[in-house]
Amino acid sequence: MRALLLAVLMLLAGVPAFAQESVEPATPRSWQSLSPQQQQLLHSFQGNWDSLPAEKQQALTRGSDRWIHMTPEERSGAQERFKTWRALPPEQRQQLRERWRQFKALPPERQQQIRNQFNTFRQMPAERQQALRNAWRNMSPEQRNQWRNMSPDERRGALQGAMPHPTAHPAPRMAPHPAPRHSPR
């Protein structure tokens, strides 16, 4: 259980869950500056704490602080997400890390738009979510780019059926030549 807790802390420290963070230069912290709760959670680092890079110390401190302030339900959810993370193939984990780096490189306004869109998606009924996933999988690369280039209002309208959107007539994924404009069925 302690190993799982430590692993969850490491995950929390390394990959914040869409949290907005202030950008502060990392400064080394002494072991004694940690709260007793943090020291208990991070006890396995006590012997080499002073040799850890300041960024690692800061990440562990931030992760332990978040863990301390979580409700039991939030901790349970974090443990489940960590188990899911660990079960992913290394290539998929690397892909997700890269997507996270790309997300963090976006301007704050765009990050907030993406968070809002994600929350809108999560609030949809499961059937609607699955339909959108299927539609996305069936889009050609051009249609996906068209979707990405839509403004949030255009996307909202497309989702509500107020305007046609790229999923209305998905193109085949691999067409050697452009399809004729009007083909008989």
Side-chain angles (χ1 to χ4, degrees):
M1 181 63 178
R2 280 204 174 273
L4 179 60
L5 175 61
L6 182 60
V8 169
L9 283 174
M10 295 294 289
L11 182 62
L12 288 172
V15 184
F18 292 105
Q20 290 189 356
E21 302 172 8
S22 62
V23 179
E24 304 169 6
T27 55
R29 292 190 61 175
S30 70
W31 180 258
Q32 291 73 26
S33 72
L34 300 177
S35 73
Q37 291 171 309
Q38 288 175 316
Q39 288 180 0
Q40 182 181 3
L41 286 169
L42 300 172
H43 77 278
S44 63
F45 291 97
Q46 183 177 2
N48 65 338
W49 184 261
D50 292 335
S51 65
L52 292 175
E55 294 79 19
K56 183 74 164 180
Q57 288 179 352
Q58 185 180 36
L60 287 167
T61 302
R62 200 172 40 239
S64 65
D65 193 47
R66 283 205 316 248
W67 183 264
I68 290 167
H69 292 95
M70 283 182 181
T71 65
E73 295 80 22
E74 290 170 331
R75 287 179 183 179
S76 177
Q79 289 173 331
E80 286 303 313
R81 286 188 298 278
F82 182 72
K83 285 179 190 174
T84 301
W85 173 260
R86 294 293 295 176
L88 294 174
E91 305 81 34
Q92 196 171 357
R93 281 189 274 175
Q94 186 56 41
Q95 195 176 48
L96 290 169
R97 284 186 194 103
E98 181 56 33
R99 286 182 186 165
W100 177 252
R101 280 191 283 277
Q102 290 171 357
F103 174 78
K104 292 305 284 181
L106 295 172
E109 311 81 46
R110 183 68 183 123
Q111 288 181 25
Q112 190 58 48
Q113 286 176 340
I114 291 170
R115 283 185 190 97
N116 293 343
Q117 291 166 352
F118 178 73
N119 288 331
T120 299
F121 179 81
R122 282 184 23 177
Q123 293 171 2
M124 291 179 182
E127 304 81 37
R128 181 70 175 138
Q129 288 180 14
Q130 191 57 47
L132 288 172
R133 283 187 192 103
N134 292 340
W136 180 261
R137 286 183 193 113
N138 289 327
M139 283 186 197
S140 68
E142 295 80 22
Q143 290 170 320
R144 289 181 182 178
N145 284 333
Q146 179 186 355
W147 179 263
R148 286 182 188 111
N149 292 328
M150 286 181 176
S151 72
D153 289 336
E154 290 171 325
R155 286 182 181 174
R156 229 180 332 275
L159 290 175
Q160 296 168 353
M163 61 178 276
H165 59 84
T167 62
H169 301 288
R173 285 183 181 264
M174 300 290 289
H177 302 287
R181 288 186 184 239
H182 301 286
S183 58
R185 293 213 173 230

